[in-house]
Amino acid sequence: MQDLDPAVLAALETPCYVFDPATVAEDLDELRQCLGTPVVVSVKACPVLDLLVRCNPHFTDGIEIASLGELNLTIGRMSVPRFVNTPAMDDTLIAAALACRATLVADSPQQVRAIESAWARPAMQNRPPEGIVLRVNAASLLGKRGPSADHFGMDLPTLHRELDRLSGDEASLQVVGL
């Protein structure tokens, strides 16, 4: 930012965001190092196509997508793994995500069944199963309930039921993560 002309900076209105791909890459590497885990970047945090494309080589752990618009934004432009994760997932988003080989994150048993139904369609029969991720309700891990609790994901009893069901011989989907 020191290289920018002060007159240019003075003319900017707020909010104004200046994105630097090198800074994004450095911050992401630092975060991975601090956490000691992979980091999936949320597209909704910054749906700026130019930045996403320029940072693609650094988003090696994948990107999280929450809508059909975000998915469409990345198709043909991003080569990293895609994770579609939204409580508002519908049949159209599921079909599009499966078509582009994204990993779906299920928030509820209803979403798991919708994903299973989409996977069972004839058009999907020649594709190897990719698996799904089941979203765990973080507040339920702490035993919290009520309005202040996290409302995303499955509580532990529901999660266990889905894991038991999906681990059966006839399960069409493989759980690849929580």
Side-chain angles (χ1 to χ4, degrees), residues 10 27 32 35 41 45 51-52 58 77 110 116 123 128 146 169 171-172 174 176:
D27 289 350
R32 276 191 194 106
L35 294 173
V41 176
L51 182 69
L52 292 172
H58 304 285
R77 296 176 180 104
Q110 295 80 10
E116 285 176 311
D169 293 336
S172 62
Q174 178 183 6
V176 295

Side-chain angles (χ1 to χ4, degrees), residues 20-154:
D20 175 21
T23 302
V24 171
E26 289 171 19
D27 289 350
L28 186 57
D29 288 342
E30 185 180 337
L31 182 59
R32 276 191 194 106
Q33 203 168 26
C34 288
L35 294 173
T37 65
V39 176
V40 175
V41 176
S42 174
V43 172
K44 69 181 160 274
C46 179
V48 177
L49 181 58
D50 180 59
L51 182 69
L52 292 172
V53 170
R54 291 171 67 194
C55 290
N56 182 60
H58 304 285
F59 295 163
T60 55
D61 303 322
I63 54 174
E64 179 199 41
I65 294 166
S67 70
L68 190 56
E70 291 174 4
L71 184 63
N72 288 338
L73 184 72
T74 67
I75 292 174
R77 296 176 180 104
M78 304 290 293
S79 60
V80 298
R82 291 176 187 87
F83 296 88
V84 175
N85 182 13
T86 175
M89 193 178 308
D90 61 11
D91 291 339
T92 303
L93 181 55
I94 291 170
L98 292 175
C100 74
R101 300 197 178 275
T103 299
L104 290 152
V105 180
D107 253 323
S108 67
Q110 295 80 10
Q111 283 186 346
V112 174
R113 282 165 191 64
I115 295 165
E116 285 176 311
S117 175
W119 223 306
R121 291 186 185 122
M124 296 303 297
Q125 296 309 304
N126 294 330
R127 292 178 177 257
E130 310 237 1
I132 64 169
V133 173
L134 301 180
R135 189 168 179 180
V136 182
N137 180 291
S140 75
L141 295 174
L142 303 173
K144 294 185 177 182
R145 299 195 185 285
S148 63
D150 178 5
H151 59 281
F152 298 110
M154 295 179 236

